[in-house]
Amino acid sequence: MSSDMHARAVQETIFDALVAARDKYGDKPILEDLDRNPLTYTGLIRAAMVLGRKIAAITEPGERVAILLPSSSGVVVTFYGLHAMGRVPVMLNFTSGEMNLKAAIKASGVKRILSAKRFITQAKLEALTDSLAEVAEIIWLDDIRKTIGLPDKLFGLMAGFFPKQFRVETQPSDPGVILFTSGSFGSPKGVMLSQSNLVSNVRQVATHIDLDPDWVMFNPLPTFHCFGLTGGVLLPLLTGMKAFQYPSPLHAKQIVELLPDVKASILFATDTFLNQYARVAGPDDFATLQFVVAGAERVRDETHHLFNTRFGGLKLLEGYGATEAAPVVAVNHPDRNRPGTVGQMLPDMEWRVDPVAGIETGGRLYLRGPNVMAGYISPDDPDRLEPLRDGWHDTGDIVEIDTDGYVSILGRVKRFAKVGGEMISLMAVEGLASAVWPESRHAVVAVPDSRRGEKLVLVTDRMDADSARLTEWARSHGAPDLAVPKRIIKVKEVPVLGTGKTDYVAIQRMVESEAEAA
């Protein structure tokens, strides 16, 4: 299957697309962060050219250079600075721990990491950067900024007027960024997205939803997460919207107070964070928002209910993406919003749904399109890509697509358990627990069981959770008894990743170690 338009990649580089946006929308304030010093298009281009030239002096052409920074104007300038001088940004997830970061550095062939002392001090990451310095050189942007003198400023002035004459020419098919998958179901994988993949995905979203250049996009998601990078940075900058970068999605109170202050029109976040924001927000805190977009994890019914009842029916649009697809694949539309689905496929997406043995409804989703990566970075050789077969990416997700093209995510292939010969969706079991205790967070994993093949374990922050309540609900709603977890582990907090996704790797480990200790 395919959407209406034939897949065609956008033949434009990331830097040239920024220059074209200035020509189209005029030189207006386009980027801001907590420091509240807005940059215009020209201000961003100049800053990127000046910083890029400084970085170019200490790196090789085409080198992969890592960025270890929070969402801020600084990370955007650094990202564009690398592109201006033909270097490849590698976005490092500073919440993923020393082991994963060192693996990412090795896998991507990174020799240098750009970071800022101010950020490392505030985030208390000194021990982490000390450890990373053993495998790569840490370059402090604070030190580089101190060396910017009059010749650099004059260069920036000229480059602001004639950016195409001063930037290093690259091709749309050249690398745009190296990111790492979230690792919520296993080891993070290195994903190489071309410049064309990223710009194409921006164009696909802008074709799907009519975006007003006068709007302000509020991005609290990290740029090491593809949703934060494409949705929170590239999408607004390339479509004329001002991008407000916030350094952490965890600051619920500060974020909801800032939204009306910066006149935010669109808020991007995950269900976990949106639920927290909705709980602390006053009735007017979301007044300037046109709509809210949720991705990266399933939106719970309770979150939809909060938005519907407390904020005058503010539209909460659920979408679906994958790092490998730059990342947006499908998203609901403000005028065609179907809660419970992730909306319709973006223009130019091709898809197929292959049947899976033992799973009766839906099938395994494969994707192809101008936004889909060329391949994963080989774990054995940073310079080798493992190409996709015929360009198809296997998402590992089980989906159902209705006659109107709305996509429903039923679970991941890895997130099905075989209990007593039946295939049980762990996502559906989590939904069962959420129906009984909607205000709590739940995760379900499967462990081997000698009698039934596998058994389900519920990990929850609901301290009075018990199997009897789940069984009672399942029976009254026609859910099979096999779908009720008999073992429940109560925790103060269900582990989540820095992106807000449930950390199933940590949960599986915890459940297995408890089983061994028992």
Side-chain angles (χ1 to χ4, degrees):
M1 291 282 304
S2 149
S3 13
D4 309 336
M5 299 160 73
H6 290 293
R8 53 176 182 268
V10 173
Q11 294 308 316
E12 200 173 13
T13 65
I14 286 172
F15 198 84
D16 287 352
L18 180 70
V19 176
R22 177 180 69 175
D23 296 342
K24 182 174 182 178
Y25 300 107
D27 193 22
K28 60 179 193 171
I30 197 72
L31 179 66
E32 194 175 352
D33 65 8
L34 272 185
D35 289 342
R36 306 307 294 271
N37 293 319
L39 281 174
T40 60
Y41 274 116
T42 300
L44 170 56
I45 290 165
R46 281 178 181 155
M49 294 294 277
V50 169
L51 181 62
R53 192 168 75 144
K54 289 285 187 186
I55 295 166
I58 48 175
T59 56
E60 304 293 322
E63 184 177 327
R64 297 171 181 180
V65 184
I67 299 178
L68 190 78
L69 289 169
S71 292
S72 57
S73 295
V75 79
V76 180
V77 168
T78 307
F79 179 85
Y80 270 103
L82 291 174
H83 272 286
M85 294 297 155
R87 272 64 176 168
V88 181
V90 177
M91 311 307 283
L92 293 182
N93 177 350
F94 46 82
T95 71
S96 68
E98 180 191 328
M99 191 176 74
N100 278 343
L101 277 168
K102 284 187 171 175
I105 289 163
K106 184 169 183 279
S108 52
V110 157
K111 298 196 280 285
R112 296 173 183 87
I113 301 168
L114 302 171
S115 191
K117 289 174 186 168
R118 177 179 151 195
F119 161 60
I120 296 300
T121 307
Q122 285 175 346
K124 300 184 171 55
L125 293 175
E126 292 91 346
L128 178 66
T129 47
D130 288 348
S131 174
L132 295 184
E134 296 164 11
V135 294
E137 181 191 354
I138 312 265
I139 295 168
W140 299 108
L141 293 168
D142 333 48
D143 294 342
I144 288 181
R145 282 199 190 95
K146 288 174 193 161
T147 69
I148 293 171
L150 186 60
D152 300 302
K153 288 174 181 170
L154 290 171
F155 169 78
L157 194 68
M158 292 302 291
F161 290 124
F162 311 107
K164 291 189 180 181
Q165 277 87 312
F166 288 92
R167 59 109 168 91
V168 170
E169 193 168 352
T170 56
Q171 299 306 311
S173 56
D174 287 342
V177 72
I178 293 173
L179 294 156
F180 292 85
T181 59
S182 67
S184 45
F185 298 100
S187 304
K189 290 179 179 171
V191 172
M192 168 83 79
L193 293 169
S194 70
Q195 301 196 41
S196 177
N197 288 153
L198 293 161
V199 180
S200 294
N201 200 225
V202 167
R203 304 295 181 224
Q204 287 169 295
V205 175
T207 303
H208 185 63
I209 297 177
D210 203 16
L211 301 167
D212 187 330
D214 291 334
W215 286 351
V216 176
M217 168 82 75
F218 191 97
N219 177 42
L221 294 177
T223 49
F224 58 68
H225 189 229
C226 203
F227 190 24
L229 179 66
T230 304
V233 175
L234 300 178
L235 178 65
L237 293 182
L238 301 187
T239 58
M241 295 188 290
K242 188 178 183 184
F244 191 96
Q245 305 299 313
Y246 190 84
S248 169
L250 300 168
H251 307 159
K253 198 88 186 90
Q254 294 94 313
I255 286 168
V256 299
E257 285 171 2
L258 257 179
L259 290 171
D261 188 33
V262 303
K263 299 181 175 57
S265 315
I266 306 175
L267 169 64
F268 263 5
T270 66
D271 174 74
T272 302
F273 299 130
L274 289 173
N275 199 285
Q276 292 167 6
Y277 305 162
R279 287 167 186 274
V280 298
D284 300 331
D285 288 334
F286 292 163
T288 63
L289 292 175
Q290 300 287 330
F291 53 85
V292 175
V293 183
E297 59 174 348
R298 186 176 69 86
V299 177
R300 289 170 288 170
D301 293 343
E302 188 225 350
T303 311
H304 277 298
H305 181 70
L306 271 173
F307 275 82
N308 279 333
T309 53
R310 292 177 62 174
F311 306 106
L314 171 63
K315 290 189 177 87
L316 172 52
L317 310 180
E318 186 172 356
Y320 164 70
T323 305
E324 297 88 345
V328 190
V329 172
V331 66
N332 271 290
H333 188 281
D335 302 328
R336 303 187 301 276
N337 186 22
R338 283 199 195 167
T341 76
V342 292
Q344 294 162 306
M345 292 282 185
L346 291 188
D348 297 354
M349 287 288 351
E350 292 181 82
W351 68 88
R352 65 171 214 257
V353 178
D354 291 2
V356 178
I359 296 171
E360 286 170 24
T361 42
R364 188 173 188 138
L365 177 66
Y366 288 80
L367 296 168
R368 191 162 66 176
N371 53 319
V372 175
M373 66 171 185
Y376 292 110
I377 293 172
S378 164
D380 309 316
D381 178 1
D383 295 324
R384 192 163 63 83
L385 281 190
E386 296 176 344
L388 301 174
R389 188 178 294 173
D390 298 327
W392 287 103
H393 167 57
D394 173 7
T395 65
D397 289 317
I398 304 294
V399 310
E400 196 169 22
I401 302 178
D402 69 15
T403 49
D404 294 328
Y406 284 85
V407 183
S408 297
I409 310 292
L410 306 179
R412 285 188 66 76
V413 174
K414 291 180 184 175
R415 299 273 300 137
F416 278 78
K418 201 157 194 178
V419 183
E422 294 288 322
M423 293 293 271
I424 304 286
S425 162
L426 302 185
M427 186 170 148
V429 180
E430 288 171 354
L432 189 153
S434 291
V436 179
W437 301 293
E439 291 186 5
S440 300
R441 192 175 180 108
H442 315 282
V444 176
V445 295
V447 292
D449 179 69
S450 54
R451 210 161 49 84
R452 288 183 155 188
E454 287 184 288
K455 69 176 174 189
L456 308 178
V457 181
L458 170 65
V459 176
T460 178
D461 58 12
R462 178 80 183 199
M463 288 306 162
D464 62 351
D466 66 81
S467 287
R469 286 283 310 281
L470 293 172
T471 304
E472 184 188 318
W473 190 93
R475 282 180 185 155
S476 64
H477 289 78
D481 192 49
L482 287 175
V484 177
K486 302 298 183 279
R487 186 159 163 239
I488 297 177
I489 297 174
K490 296 157 193 172
V491 292
K492 191 164 164 282
E493 277 182 13
V494 175
V496 293
L497 296 161
T499 54
K501 284 186 181 182
T502 303
D503 188 348
Y504 287 105
V505 175
I507 291 164
Q508 190 80 39
R509 233 181 265 135
M510 177 176 78
V511 169
E512 285 168 5
S513 61
E514 286 219 5
E516 284 166 17

